[in-house]
Amino acid sequence: MHTLVLVKQVPDTKNAKLHPVTYTIDRSSTVNITNPSDLHAVEAAVRLKETYGGIVSSLSMGPPSAVETIRETIQMGVDHGFMISDRAFAGADTLATAYALSIAAQKIERTVSPLDLIITGKMTIDGDTGQVGPGVARRLGWYVLTNVVDIVEVQLKDRLMTVRRQNNSGYEVVRTPLPALLAVDPSINKPRRASMPNMVRAARYQPTIWSANDLEGVDRSKLGLKGSPTIVRKVFPPPKPEGGERVEGSLEDQVKFLTKILLERPEWIKTREKV
Amino acid sequence: MQGRALILGERKDGKLRQVTLEATSAAKKVTSGEVVVLLLGDGSDASTKEMLGAYGADRLLTIEHEALRHYTSDAFMQALRAAVDHVQPEVIVFGHTAIGKDIAPRLAARLGAGLISDVVDIVEKDGVVHFVRPIYAGKAFEERTIEKAPMMFTIRPNNIAPLAESAGRNVQEETLALEIKDLRSMIEEVVKKATSGVDLSEAKIVVSGGRGTKGEEGFKLLYELAEVLGGAVGASRGACDAGYVDYALQIGQTGKVVTPDLYIACGISGAIQHLAGMSASKVIVAINKDPEAPIFQVADYGIVGDMFEVLPPLIEAFKKIKSA
Ligand SMILES: Cc1cc2nc3c(=O)[nH]c(=O)nc-3n(C[C@H](O)[C@H](O)[C@H](O)COP(=O)(O)OP(=O)(O)OC[C@H]3O[C@@H](n4cnc5c(N)ncnc54)[C@H](O)[C@@H]3O)c2cc1C
């Protein structure tokens, strides 16, 4: 079984500083991390390898610093790391990103072996909201399952897999043919710590890096800014929270006050009647 | 813009979801053209039509099919593509819901269209429509434009106000026959979680608990309060990790994003990842023992106190009001 995980290096938004004028992430003062949600994807892929055998590859699109993210996947037990890195990819929105990644995935199939599965995280913390995975699957003509909380079973012989996914009202168990793309929910697992041998291997690991020229048959008009139908016009800060009113006084006073503000809004009371 | 708009409508227990009316209003901010709402699965009733007309829809397109009663991206994609071929829209709108998040990127890739997700506001500048969405876990907002048709976007529930029109439109109804073929994935089992009935992402009131609830006992109080107020219960990741409640209730960066009229945070410290999921709520009430808890920085009303002391009399007070 050959599984590919898609991973992204992102600015650590928790501690990120924003440029005071442009409100873009100030890269010089911000550390980069592997998108936390992607580590769950790596963990899921490595566990599949442990259960069913086979290999795991990882792929990232990004600047040269993304090597660190690939190394982190190697630490966790990934076999082969790939990057696509080129100015031609810069400024890509989700559509252009999905296109580039799908072309690279096809090259990985030619370089290593055909893929059975692609796993992605739920979303990235720097602004994408889970569009890339489904976009890649569409380009490859594969089935997608998002919000996966458990991989129940893989039947390699029949080329089928069964997963549990969260939906609006609960869960559903779905069986789908392979190859497929899964976007996993963080609750699926707890990413492991690196083992000593994998750490040693990762420290020296050099991923295969492809530029746009290395991707045979790529349509350059679909890459980067050129291939992106949506454009960022402006970035601005949210209104500053001022911190509100502290409700003082005895417990009784506090409860009275709360009851009062809740009752002040007739529209809330209306909602109440629906139940 | 004058092109047609297509909206993927959603229903819950046979009733239109609020986000569909919001999407109708959003579409009208983008185009002056005809607004078509698509409903999949079962046919619709008169009240649905009337409701859509009141909020400015011109046409209702339904595709009735057994395979569309329950969401699968396979069947929904086939239906959506048929609808797009039929309507030829220049604007396609989805709710930023479980279904919208799943299907919109697939359709966008298929159409080679630009997609902007999680839109919270739409503004026009010099005749160009700008879509506003949060980035960096709510630390900033960006305005994006879409350079070519079709324009696709998903809207975050509870942000774009649904606008009722003074004179409701007379909605033209049309049914599209569709043969759904080669379904590749099969749903083997559907497990419905017993929830209080109100959908978390669309609830007007959310009562949310963190590690400070200490466990199921604490959450029992939250469920009681949510019940008397007609709200839904949410949770911090801390509470989910501790096993107090299911991850389906998690609010925050890696959970659900909610923007209710009222958010009551009980025993939640207010980590940035949690704030990312709720700080845009219209009114925030926080109950926390620790006066330094960061949740107080975003709260409109902060109560420094023990939730186990504050909640019972509050619930009692509302029970009395309700029975009065
Ligand atoms: C990548 C990543 C993603 C994350 N995503 C999310 C997310 O989506 N959502 C999320 O919520 N978190 C998320 N987190 C976790 C987040 O950082 C916090 O750890 C979590 O929100 C803390 O939960 P909490 O507030 O319930 O617990 P704590 O931080 O332990 O706070 C408990 C609070 O309860 C108060 N308290 C205790 N007893 C009482 C009482 N009797 N009455 C009143 N108050 C009391 C305490 O004063 C304290 O402030 C994420 C973290 C990471 C690293």
Side-chain angles (χ1 to χ4, degrees):
Chain A
M1 176 167 196
H2 186 189
T3 305
L4 175 68
V5 268
L6 303 180
V7 289
K8 187 181 183 191
Q9 189 180 51
V10 294
D12 181 1
T13 48
K14 186 175 176 189
N15 303 306
K17 297 216 169 51
L18 299 184
H19 187 281
V21 180
T22 61
Y23 268 89
T24 46
I25 291 263
D26 181 359
R27 298 258 169 196
S28 60
S29 69
T30 303
V31 289
N32 288 326
I33 56 170
T34 300
N35 182 45
S37 158
D38 298 350
L39 296 176
H40 297 277
V42 178
E43 177 67 33
V46 173
R47 284 189 195 183
L48 282 178
K49 176 174 86 168
E50 287 163 353
T51 312
Y52 298 100
I55 49 169
V56 180
S57 302
S58 61
L59 168 64
S60 187
M61 177 171 110
S65 65
V67 168
E68 288 313 319
T69 281
I70 295 294
R71 290 201 175 120
E72 198 171 342
T73 69
I74 300 289
Q75 279 195 359
M76 290 175 67
V78 166
D79 303 285
H80 305 287
F82 297 88
M83 277 171 61
I84 51 173
S85 189
D86 196 314
R87 278 179 186 259
F89 302 132
D93 73 358
T94 48
L95 189 75
T97 302
Y99 175 69
L101 288 172
S102 67
I103 298 285
Q106 286 167 335
K107 178 148 182 161
I108 291 173
E109 294 201 298
R110 293 194 300 272
T111 313
V112 184
S113 65
L115 292 165
D116 301 291
L117 192 65
I118 296 181
I119 308 183
T120 73
K122 180 176 172 142
M123 61 202 265
T124 63
I125 58 175
D126 62 341
D128 298 344
T129 46
Q131 292 183 24
V132 170
V136 170
R138 203 347 263 145
R139 293 235 174 248
L140 297 172
W142 293 10
Y143 198 70
V144 198
L145 290 164
T146 56
N147 289 331
V148 172
V149 293
D150 188 23
I151 298 175
V152 181
E153 194 189 13
V154 181
Q155 292 158 279
L156 274 176
K157 257 211 335 253
D158 303 324
R159 315 248 338 119
L160 286 174
M161 83 184 299
T162 309
V163 305
R164 211 150 61 92
R165 64 182 296 271
Q166 220 174 58
N167 62 22
N168 260 348
S169 49
Y171 296 99
E172 62 196 27
V173 178
V174 189
R175 197 170 63 188
T176 194
L178 298 175
L181 183 142
L182 311 181
V184 296
D185 188 81
S187 65
I188 191 171
N189 57 37
K190 196 162 173 272
R192 69 189 62 197
R193 297 234 186 99
S195 68
M196 212 44 206
N198 281 342
M199 265 162 91
V200 173
R201 176 166 180 251
R204 286 190 226 119
Y205 190 81
Q206 285 303 333
T208 306
I209 304 179
W210 292 318
S211 67
N213 278 336
D214 297 323
L215 301 176
E216 296 83 4
V218 73
D219 178 351
R220 279 183 172 263
S221 70
K222 291 186 177 161
L223 296 179
L225 206 50
K226 254 191 286 175
S228 300
T230 74
I231 294 179
V232 179
R233 297 291 174 170
K234 184 178 151 193
V235 179
F236 58 97
K240 233 186 157 40
E242 290 144 18
E245 202 178 315
R246 287 287 163 107
V247 183
E248 310 286 351
S250 67
L251 178 64
E252 204 180 314
D253 293 341
Q254 291 180 331
V255 171
K256 262 204 196 122
F257 181 86
L258 265 188
T259 317
K260 191 175 111 258
I261 59 158
L262 291 179
L263 286 174
E264 256 169 22
R265 309 270 175 147
E267 66 270 23
W268 294 346
I269 308 302
K270 242 187 265 148
T271 337
R272 196 158 56 93
E273 282 164 4
K274 264 201 226 146
V275 174
Chain B
M1 184 173 229
Q2 284 145 23
R4 245 178 245 129
L6 179 68
I7 291 150
L8 176 62
E10 288 189 47
R11 284 175 290 191
K12 197 186 173 201
D13 303 326
K15 277 167 85 180
L16 272 185
R17 292 183 62 169
Q18 165 94 357
V19 71
T20 298
L21 302 177
E22 294 170 358
T24 307
S25 298
K28 284 165 50 191
K29 289 188 175 198
V30 180
T31 176
S32 56
E34 207 181 16
V35 175
V36 185
V37 175
L38 172 68
L39 288 175
L40 303 178
D42 298 309
S44 71
D45 51 26
S47 74
T48 303
K49 245 173 81 174
E50 202 175 302
M51 184 88 129
L52 286 171
Y55 286 89
D58 300 290
R59 268 165 69 192
L60 169 61
L61 185 63
T62 49
I63 302 180
E64 289 176 44
H65 200 292
E66 179 65 37
L68 298 170
R69 287 233 169 92
H70 191 86
Y71 176 78
T72 63
S73 39
D74 230 7
F76 267 53
M77 259 304 270
Q78 294 185 31
L80 262 171
R81 289 187 59 203
V84 167
D85 283 347
H86 184 72
V87 175
Q88 298 288 320
E90 290 188 19
V91 177
I92 309 176
V93 195
F94 302 83
H96 197 66
T97 58
I99 291 175
K101 278 188 261 191
D102 198 66
I103 198 85
R106 286 170 60 89
L107 186 66
R110 167 75 70 175
L111 302 175
L115 168 64
I116 300 181
S117 61
D118 209 10
V119 169
V120 296
D121 198 9
I122 297 171
V123 287
E124 200 184 299
K125 289 183 180 171
D126 306 324
V128 179
V129 178
H130 290 228
F131 298 88
V132 181
R133 62 187 292 267
I135 51 170
Y136 307 134
K139 274 200 168 179
F141 287 89
E142 71 177 16
E143 278 179 22
R144 257 180 201 268
T145 55
I146 309 180
E147 300 303 301
K148 59 170 199 190
M151 291 187 179
M152 295 181 58
F153 58 98
T154 69
I155 58 163
R156 183 184 284 197
N158 278 345
N159 280 267
I160 295 168
L163 294 175
E165 294 191 337
S166 45
R169 302 188 190 190
N170 192 6
V171 176
Q172 302 291 317
E173 193 175 355
E174 194 182 352
T175 312
L176 197 62
L178 180 71
E179 200 183 317
I180 291 184
K181 33 184 194 273
D182 298 336
L183 285 185
R184 288 174 297 170
S185 73
M186 272 182 41
I187 297 190
E188 300 197 320
E189 189 189 347
V190 179
V191 185
K192 278 215 171 160
K193 279 272 152 102
T195 49
S196 62
V198 186
D199 191 325
L200 192 51
S201 56
E202 278 187 49
K204 293 285 172 213
I205 298 181
V206 173
V207 183
S208 193
R211 242 193 295 259
T213 57
K214 310 271 190 322
E216 277 174 32
E217 277 301 299
F219 266 93
K220 241 178 82 189
L221 288 174
L222 303 192
Y223 274 108
E224 278 181 45
L225 182 61
E227 162 112 44
V228 289
L229 295 175
V233 172
S236 73
R237 167 118 159 230
C240 299
D241 283 343
Y244 301 165
V245 284
D246 195 86
Y247 279 101
L249 299 192
Q250 185 185 320
I251 288 169
Q253 187 184 308
T254 45
K256 291 206 165 70
V257 174
V258 298
T259 27
D261 290 340
L262 172 66
Y263 188 88
I264 307 179
C266 307
I268 293 178
S269 60
I272 175 137
Q273 295 94 347
H274 187 75
L275 302 185
M278 48 63 74
S279 62
S281 303
K282 293 188 185 83
V283 173
I284 298 170
V285 173
I287 306 172
N288 196 304
K289 273 207 303 211
D290 174 9
E292 302 296 322
I295 190 80
F296 288 126
Q297 283 164 23
V298 299
D300 298 282
Y301 302 105
I303 293 192
V304 180
D306 187 333
M307 57 166 275
F308 290 95
E309 289 174 10
V310 177
L311 292 184
L314 189 66
I315 294 165
E316 276 316 305
F318 268 93
K319 277 192 179 153
K320 265 198 212 125
I321 293 167
K322 244 189 138 171
S323 59

